């Protein structure tokens, strides 16, 4: 056993639904075998009485959204957590609350992605243009859509990136369809990607890429057809089966994402927000072969990531080690979990960024795992200190006015 882990205390707060979905008790048991005490936090009681805490793991997204709507009880609970964090800067938080607020707002997360891509200057990456609609369609709105570089068809999403409503989306084919859009919302140009979505599940400096079904190809440009309203859970879950995901009209480029592109995107997001548990939705443009980030999620479900608990424990071990330099790291790795305890099933882009693929994607050192997971080689996703100040503004608090349901 790594001696510096013995006696360490990890507090966690997850909804009952999230704990059951992840089978989180198995992770708590794994930690205890490593000498780490795991405590389920009771937010109705002062956290000082439940400490000391070396690490806090949480998914407070529901409470944060409710607090931002001035729900007095949610405000109290979230503030209780923040007060403990402020009083104990030595405590490692997975993940910081301001960063979670950024990821809960699709506009802010999309702005961040475009800034990251601008800094990376990698022609293999080009996420779609987007804009926020705060009012009903009008000639001024149509003109702004054109100025932002959006083209039909485009996807309409809620601005809030969490909760049941966040999965309700629409494909808009024409100006006529815009009258059915209910603001506030985010619109994003649709990119044909041969009905394949790559979900990147990040845990610290490790990530797993899982292939999922996605929306089929549609002809570019305006079309005389009705808007399509759908729930993304019915399209991109492992078991999804829908007419919207047919792969009968495949064309152009069909290839998996490049490992070094995914690694750099993950590293940059970690650096920008200081987050460790997040997901990135990536598609491959079937005309150019470019990678496009279409969503970023805080603490996703990690479905199809059988090594999630081991990756999480490795990450906790690593961050505790970095906070305790007097202890030499051990080569001992956590033992694999038994099979029955694994995880269950708006600035526009820079001119010219969406040109044809300028260089071939390098060979991808993927390791194929169960459930279609593609495991990237473990990499230390270091920080480029020169870039960090550019992103500090994105951690500001935001007010989001949509109620979320538990996840």
């Amino acid at each position: 056993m790594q001696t510096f882990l013995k006696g360490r205390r990890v507090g966690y707060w997850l909804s009952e639904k999230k704990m059951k979905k992840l089978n989180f008790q198995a992770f708590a048991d794994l930690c205890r075998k490593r000498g780490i005490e795991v405590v389920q936090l009771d937010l109705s009681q002062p956290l000082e009485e439940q400490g000391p805490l070396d690490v806090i793991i949480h998914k407070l997204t529901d409470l944060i959204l409710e607090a931002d709507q001035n729900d007095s009880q949610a405000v109290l609970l979230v503030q209780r957590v923040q007060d403990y964090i402020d009083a104990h800067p030595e405590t490692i938080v997975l993940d910081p609350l301001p960063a979670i607020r950024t990821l809960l707002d699709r506009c802010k997360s999309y702005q961040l992605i475009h800034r990251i891509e601008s800094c990376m200057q990698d022609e293999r990456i080009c996420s779609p243009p987007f804009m926020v609609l705060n009012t009903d369609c009008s000639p001024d709105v149509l003109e702004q859509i054109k100025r932002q570089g959006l083209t039909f068809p485009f996807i309409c999403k809620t601005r809030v990136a969490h909760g049941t409503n966040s999965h309700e989306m629409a494909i808009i084919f024409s100006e006529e369809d815009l009258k059915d859009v209910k603001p506030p919302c985010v619109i994003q140009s649709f990119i044909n990607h041969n009905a394949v979505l790559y979900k990147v599940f990040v845990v610290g400096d490790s990530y797993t890429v899982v292939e999922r079904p996605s929306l089929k190809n549609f002809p570019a440009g305006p079309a005389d057809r009705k808007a399509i309203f759908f729930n993304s859970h019915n399209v991109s879950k492992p078991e999804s089966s829908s007419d919207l995901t047919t792969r009968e009209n495949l064309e152009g480029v069909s290839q998996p994402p490049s490992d070094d592109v995914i690694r750099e995107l993950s590293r940059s997001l970690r650096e920008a927000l200081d987050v460790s548990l997040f997901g990135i939705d990536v598609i491959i443009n079937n005309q150019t072969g470019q990678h496009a980030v279409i969503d970023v999620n805080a603490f996703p479900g990690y479905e199809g990531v059988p090594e999630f608990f081991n990756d999480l424990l490795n990450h906790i071990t690593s961050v505790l080690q970095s906070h305790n330099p007097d202890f030499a790291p051990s080569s001992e790795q956590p033992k694999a979990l038994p099979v029955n305890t694994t995880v269950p099933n708006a600035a526009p882009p820079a001119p010219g960024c969406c040109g044809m693929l300028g260089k071939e994607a390098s060979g991808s050192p993927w390791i194929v795992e169960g459930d279609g997971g593609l495991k990237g080689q473990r990499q230390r996703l270091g920080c480029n200190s020169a870039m960090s100040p550019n992103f500090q503004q994105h951690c500001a608090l935001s007010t989001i006015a949509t109620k979320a349901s538990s996840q």
Side-chain angles (χ1 to χ4, degrees), residues 207-211 256 304 306-307 364-377:
Y207 54 86
T208 303
V209 180
V210 177
E211 183 177 320
E307 294 299 314
S364 300
W366 299 115
I367 302 171
V368 180
E369 298 190 328
D371 300 324
L374 298 171
K375 186 80 170 189
Q377 291 181 331

Side-chain angles (χ1 to χ4, degrees), residues 390-402:
N390 295 335
F391 297 111
Q392 291 175 357
Q393 59 183 307
H394 295 285
C395 293
L397 305 185
S398 63
T399 300
I400 305 176
T402 299

Side-chain angles (χ1 to χ4, degrees), residues 164-228:
T164 302
N165 290 340
S166 69
H167 301 292
E168 299 296 334
M169 302 182 184
I171 309 172
I172 306 298
F173 294 97
S174 67
E175 294 180 6
E176 180 69 16
D177 288 342
L178 283 171
K179 71 179 188 300
D180 298 322
V181 170
K182 296 180 180 179
C185 60
V186 177
I187 58 175
Q188 182 184 61
S189 288
F190 179 78
I191 295 175
N192 281 330
H193 52 285
N194 285 341
V196 178
L197 170 69
Y198 296 97
K199 297 193 77 70
V200 182
F201 294 109
V202 182
V203 183
D205 59 3
S206 180
Y207 54 86
T208 303
V209 180
V210 177
E211 183 177 320
R212 294 276 180 84
S214 187
L215 294 171
K216 65 183 180 181
N217 297 332
F218 291 99
D224 184 18
R225 60 182 300 175
K226 293 291 185 181
I228 298 174

